Amino acid sequence: MTRIFADNKETLHNLRKYVSSALKKKSSMKIALAQLNYTVGDITGNKNKIIGSIEKARREKADLIVFSELAICGYPPHDLLMRKKITDDISRAMCEISDHCTDIAAIVGAPSENFLLDGKRLYNSARVLQKGKCIFEAAHKKLLSSYDVYDEHRYFNPDHCYNKFDLNDDHSFTVFEYKGKRIAVIIGDELWRNSKAGDALMHNQSGSDMPLSMRIALQVRPDFIINIAATPFTTNRSYDKNYNRNAVLAFKASCPLLYVNQVGASSELIFDGGSMVINEGKITYRMKRFEEDLFFVDTENWDDKDLSENDIDLDDSSEIRKPEIKLIYDALVLGIRDYFAKSGLKKALLGISGGLDSAVVAALAVAALGNENVHGLLLPSKYSSNHSITDAVALANNLGMSYDTVTIKDVYDRMEATLAPLFNKQQPDVTEENIQARIRGMLLMAYSNKFGHIVLNTSNKSEAAAGYGTLYGDMCGALSVLGDVYKTDVYRLAHYINSEKEIIPLNTIQKPPSAELRPDQKDSDSLPDYEILDAILYRYIELNFDICDIVYDGYDEETVKRIVTLLHRNEYKRAQCSPILRVSSRAFGTGWRMPLVAKYNV
Amino acid sequence: MTRIFADNKETLHNLRKYVSSALKKKSSMKIALAQLNYTVGDITGNKNKIIGSIEKARREKADLIVFSELAICGYPPHDLLMRKKITDDISRAMCEISDHCTDIAAIVGAPSENFLLDGKRLYNSARVLQKGKCIFEAAHKKLLSSYDVYDEHRYFNPDHCYNKFDLNDDHSFTVFEYKGKRIAVIIGDELWRNSKAGDALMHNQSGSDMPLSMRIALQVRPDFIINIAATPFTTNRSYDKNYNRNAVLAFKASCPLLYVNQVGASSELIFDGGSMVINEGKITYRMKRFEEDLFFVDTENWDDKDLSENDIDLDDSSEIRKPEIKLIYDALVLGIRDYFAKSGLKKALLGISGGLDSAVVAALAVAALGNENVHGLLLPSKYSSNHSITDAVALANNLGMSYDTVTIKDVYDRMEATLAPLFNKQQPDVTEENIQARIRGMLLMAYSNKFGHIVLNTSNKSEAAAGYGTLYGDMCGALSVLGDVYKTDVYRLAHYINSEKEIIPLNTIQKPPSAELRPDQKDSDSLPDYEILDAILYRYIELNFDICDIVYDGYDEETVKRIVTLLHRNEYKRAQCSPILRVSSRAFGTGWRMPLVAKYNV
């Protein structure tokens, strides 16, 4: 292989333009980007989806079709990858897919076997299917992700021929030649990660290395790079300077780049699609967000004006820098919809209290499942204010959803009487508050058992963090819709939902938040104002700031210490909470692995 | 460094004997092995424990003292390692410890900083403290553990100078020279792992490579190897041929080996200690199991008869091959005791039903916490048989624990009446059964809230696997004691508990298992016999067998498919269950990461 060293970026840029235009004359290639919604473990279903798109692409005379990372099994497959049956099923499905690749090539994300004696049994690979055969792997993932929600070292071996200390090694990176084009394939966050970056995200350190995609662009000078990914949606990635810096670098300095993401939700994770064509540092085409999509791009027309209608400058895109509340809304709707669809479920149930959180969850559920599939229970107690009922009824009517009203008073009185001999005239305390919350939980679960509903949890992230909730009470439910949304963002969601007409009653938004478990109770009796609570939690959880850093940002030291203590003291509650739809860069769940029995010095 | 190549094992063995006896004449060294019970995150407490042992060892004129893996922060520290404050606290604590190492050297397991630009921020290291300074790292962990409950790639960089493809590289392994001895240090499961083994465990593949400890023994020929570890107790590791083969190889063929484990429980994981001195393939001394211990060994007397009183042949030790039920008992008692002690809690509460599971949990809790700290609630319903009460009372009396009786009937009737308008004369089904279980859960939680008890969960592994339990009902509790013990082993535990006198009433052991949630209900109405259920579950979960492998072992295909379907269909329940004390090689919890929303083709 001839190698040309680029002294500086400009030389390289000109060189690339020259080579690229020379190649253009030689041939053009039509590439289909398939952004699909896979179901984890459903090898047959995923295979059929993949074949369906291949057939569409063949009808359009595409030369190549590209599917996302681990498309065949869906991402993340977790410990299913340890089961031999799954990998056998995958091999058979890949053969069947390749039967459809006679006059087209397909790049499909799939695990592949590591035949070396060393390391884990599988690679995370991009397999090339062509001429009716599963021919070879265009790439194995080199920089495995073991941070946040990712556990790739648990399953995969990193590509063995990648030696990170030798950038000048020609064999470090491979290209795949097809119809006169030299194509490099990278997998997942290799796009923007350097070998330090996955760690840096968690440590507020800046990686100094260049992203892998840039190394490849500089070193093997492919005609274009294909990045097959499974990148979940997060609102806060934009705040992460390291991510942004690297991503922008990767996009800007590389050769043309085709980024194919999956779409759809899988338990906690919501994948937003938004696959892209990028040329000369500009997004020249962005595929749909939160929906399946199929797009054809021609290598002679990267910069075709037809493509660049939604041309976005990566440096100051408001979409990347300042995510709109609309994106969180769309993500949560998709998260609910796919949780139900992929579990074979239809009907959701939730307690509507007249408060903000349950109102927002109800609106999201109705958007996801249709109002005919969402049922509310109003569960007033003697401490419920009058407006609780009227606000909840107004909400249900606005949404066109059905509801029933069941008072918890009788059961509560009987609980009190049953426990009276044991409690022996002790003063009421949090026990009695929890009993009310647990009776509500029990009624919701009973109704859902009888009629086949799934209970949606309505706790928000601020409450989950501070432990302001009752285990088996208001913390019950199969899926937590708002568990990764701070209370202040729940308000923003409510305003967004109301942007066209009043769906959530204004009184629900305006009244002071209260659990209504004792007379005149307010959240602010137990917690700081949500503006302050959320700002502190965000810094501690998402930005990984230490207490001193948060105090340096202007927050009261005692308050910060109190909140951090509350946060860790309630690990035991979160250990049993519902799975949470993840929209931030760090959600409670698999991305937050704190010891349960531990001493937290604050 | 001069290198001698060993042509075969015998030559090497003779050579080692010669060198070893030559060195013996030169000097002897007294080494203290400190097997301590650390609390995760409690840097100050752990530091003080370490200093206490150093002072004891100094008084005994020891030359060197060895502490276990990540001793300073306790294992597993999880995401605490991402917080800068913790690593700062650790640095300060290590300095303070080193102040006590003026006439003694200490090897302390601790994270250390990776100053390279590449990779994760920390190493998992063995730091050498001497002459009042924290001098250097004797080793960084090379083979990080990312399997089962371990996530080390999430936090650590593997030792960069280890190149697994170059066994002949002198720089691959380092020794540390001290008082005329050449000492190699390896960390954790590097003792028995080769680079494939961690994976092989999960895949039923055999690793063909030799364990790291053997490579080191052959390559750098140290006078002895120190293995600092944090190895949790498991009953079933003995069944794992690959583990055994590698461990035996490592023990047998290496030079003398000092294995220092931690002891004590940390959330799910129970560390059993049992640190060892091994020479010429024999365990010449084994330290206490399930207790702190400090032992002194002299390098001139590896084979001192005083040490070898409990000499164990590794090849057919019944302790390693066939774990006794006693070990499970001891492990669970330590697990309960440390959960309470390390959380600053004292009093446990549980529902005692007259059934087997709650009886065994009560006995374990009394053994762990004392009968004055364990309280039982008898919660009969109209379906409870007469013997439920008498058996539960007999149990409480035998254990000398207090109890109260609270009928659930009144609350249940009120629930029925409250729901009647909604349920509209539908036939009773599992809904009504769940309501009873949830009322019991609510009463337990209320009592625990009022009096400051912690509720112990009494579900067993067979039930947890099959989903035979009610979420927020009998699945409630802060800690699951038997969630990793199959029902058939619960029987064995009961017999063990009764081995000296009848503590668990015989009737409790002999009657057919029943949830008593409807008239004449038996577990066998819903589940296969526990002998069959457990055998199938064990093969699927612990041995990672596919369905066809289990059928090959003689089990009915329909039954196997039904059980595997039940297992996966109930992931959503286990996602919200209490943390489970782990005693097997694969427990539900962090070692079982199955997707929640997925299609499982059986």
Side-chain angles (χ1 to χ4, degrees), chain B residues 414-587:
Chain B
R414 193 55 54 179
M415 272 293 289
E416 244 185 0
T418 297
L419 287 163
L422 302 185
F423 283 7
N424 201 18
K425 300 199 178 136
Q426 298 243 358
Q427 283 302 305
D429 54 19
V430 74
T431 307
E432 284 71 18
E433 300 181 25
N434 283 335
I435 289 173
Q436 295 170 63
R438 290 198 179 105
I439 293 171
R440 292 195 172 106
M442 192 163 58
L443 288 164
L444 285 165
M445 294 305 292
Y447 191 97
S448 92
N449 280 175
K450 190 57 95 183
F451 298 109
H453 290 77
I454 293 299
V455 175
L456 293 177
N457 173 281
T458 60
S459 306
N460 62 57
K461 188 172 190 172
S462 315
E463 290 170 347
Y468 194 68
T470 300
L471 210 48
Y472 321 136
D474 54 313
M475 287 180 72
C476 81
L479 181 70
S480 166
V481 175
L482 297 178
D484 197 30
V485 182
Y486 290 111
K487 185 76 175 192
T488 43
D489 286 332
V490 179
Y491 279 102
R492 295 173 65 210
L493 275 171
H495 287 296
Y496 176 77
I497 289 164
N498 276 4
S499 53
E500 288 186 12
K501 61 172 186 166
E502 184 178 318
I503 289 170
I504 296 173
L506 278 187
N507 191 45
T508 291
I509 300 179
Q510 286 162 351
K511 65 189 172 189
S514 166
E516 298 197 331
L517 294 170
R518 60 172 186 262
D520 299 323
Q521 186 180 26
K522 301 272 173 296
D523 289 10
S524 53
D525 303 342
S526 312
L527 299 172
D529 280 355
Y530 280 115
E531 291 290 341
I532 292 171
L533 177 67
D534 291 355
I536 293 171
L537 289 170
Y538 173 72
R539 280 165 177 77
Y540 192 82
I541 298 168
E542 264 107 315
L543 300 184
N544 206 36
F545 277 18
D546 278 323
I547 288 172
C548 58
D549 306 320
I550 303 175
V551 172
Y552 183 84
D553 271 4
Y555 294 90
D556 173 59
E557 185 167 353
E558 282 317 299
T559 308
V560 176
K561 283 190 171 170
R562 190 179 137 228
I563 290 173
V564 170
T565 305
L566 272 178
L567 174 72
H568 287 301
R569 189 186 289 156
N570 286 289
E571 297 299 347
Y572 78 98
K573 281 192 187 176
R574 287 188 298 272
Q576 297 186 49
C577 77
S578 332
I580 292 171
L581 290 178
R582 173 183 180 273
V583 291
S584 81
S585 60
R586 199 162 191 210

Side-chain angles (χ1 to χ4, degrees), chain A residues 328-559:
Chain A
I328 300 183
Y329 177 89
D330 289 344
L332 294 174
V333 168
L334 178 59
I336 298 169
R337 185 182 294 141
D338 273 6
Y339 181 92
F340 279 75
K342 293 181 181 180
S343 308
L345 305 166
K346 281 194 89 158
K347 294 185 291 179
L349 177 73
L350 75 162
I352 47 176
S353 66
L356 186 73
D357 301 315
S358 59
V360 169
V361 173
L364 291 164
V366 164
L369 307 170
N371 58 9
E372 70 280 16
N373 288 315
V374 183
H375 187 74
L377 288 189
L378 277 67
L379 301 160
S381 75
K382 57 181 170 182
Y383 303 124
S384 297
S385 47
N386 291 333
H387 56 73
S388 299
I389 303 287
T390 51
D391 291 343
V393 169
L395 172 82
N397 290 336
N398 292 349
L399 288 168
M401 62 182 267
S402 57
Y403 65 91
D404 284 299
T405 306
V406 188
T407 172
I408 67 168
K409 187 179 176 302
D410 292 351
V411 179
Y412 179 80
D413 290 346
R414 193 55 56 180
M415 271 293 288
E416 242 184 1
T418 297
L419 287 164
L422 301 185
F423 284 6
N424 202 16
K425 302 200 175 133
Q426 298 243 357
Q427 282 302 306
D429 55 18
V430 75
T431 306
E432 284 71 18
E433 300 181 24
N434 283 335
I435 290 173
Q436 296 169 65
R438 290 198 178 105
I439 293 172
R440 291 196 173 104
M442 192 162 61
L443 288 164
L444 285 165
M445 293 306 291
Y447 191 96
S448 91
N449 279 175
K450 189 60 92 185
F451 298 109
H453 290 76
I454 294 300
V455 175
L456 292 177
N457 173 282
T458 60
S459 307
N460 62 57
K461 188 172 190 173
S462 315
E463 291 171 345
Y468 195 68
T470 300
L471 208 49
Y472 321 136
D474 55 312
M475 288 180 71
C476 83
L479 181 70
S480 167
V481 175
L482 297 177
D484 196 31
V485 182
Y486 291 110
K487 184 77 176 190
T488 44
D489 286 333
V490 179
Y491 279 102
R492 295 172 65 210
L493 274 172
H495 287 295
Y496 175 78
I497 290 163
N498 277 3
S499 52
E500 288 187 12
K501 61 172 184 165
E502 185 178 317
I503 288 169
I504 296 172
L506 278 188
N507 191 45
T508 291
I509 300 178
Q510 286 162 352
K511 66 188 171 189
S514 166
E516 298 197 331
L517 294 170
R518 59 172 188 263
D520 299 321
Q521 185 180 27
K522 299 274 173 294
D523 290 9
S524 54
D525 304 341
S526 312
L527 299 173
D529 280 356
Y530 280 115
E531 291 289 340
I532 292 172
L533 178 67
D534 291 356
I536 293 172
L537 288 171
Y538 174 72
R539 281 165 177 76
Y540 192 83
I541 298 168
E542 265 106 315
L543 300 184
N544 207 36
F545 276 18
D546 278 323
I547 288 172
C548 58
D549 305 321
I550 303 174
V551 172
Y552 183 85
D553 271 4
Y555 295 89
D556 173 58
E557 184 167 354
E558 281 317 301
T559 309

Side-chain angles (χ1 to χ4, degrees), chain A residues 147-163:
Chain A
Y147 62 93
D148 191 12
V149 296
Y150 311 106
D151 288 316
E152 292 188 346
H153 282 93
R154 186 173 171 88
Y155 312 108
F156 299 116
N157 206 41
D159 191 5
H160 64 281
C161 57
Y162 170 62
N163 184 333

Side-chain angles (χ1 to χ4, degrees), chain B residues 161-179:
Chain B
C161 57
Y162 170 61
N163 184 334
K164 57 193 171 184
F165 294 105
D166 189 2
L167 258 182
N168 296 320
D169 178 4
D170 260 349
H171 301 287
S172 297
F173 306 112
T174 51
V175 290
F176 132 63
E177 301 222 8
Y178 176 64
K179 295 206 172 178

Side-chain angles (χ1 to χ4, degrees), chain A residues 79 82-83 85 117-118 120-121 148 154 195-196 199 203 434 449 544-546 586 593, chain B residues 79 82-83 85 117-118 121 146 148 154 164 195-196 199 203 434 449 544-546 586:
Chain A
D79 283 6
M82 292 179 181
R83 304 217 67 95
K85 174 161 191 312
L117 285 176
D118 233 29
K120 297 271 178 176
R121 189 171 67 101
D148 191 12
R154 186 173 171 88
S195 47
K196 188 109 189 170
D199 188 54
H203 285 103
N434 283 335
N449 279 175
N544 207 36
F545 276 18
D546 278 323
R586 200 166 190 206
R593 304 184 189 174
Chain B
D79 284 6
M82 291 178 181
R83 303 217 68 94
K85 173 160 192 309
L117 285 175
D118 234 29
R121 189 172 67 103
S146 286
D148 189 13
R154 185 174 172 89
K164 57 193 171 184
S195 48
K196 187 109 189 169
D199 189 54
H203 285 102
N434 283 335
N449 280 175
N544 206 36
F545 277 18
D546 278 323
R586 199 162 191 210

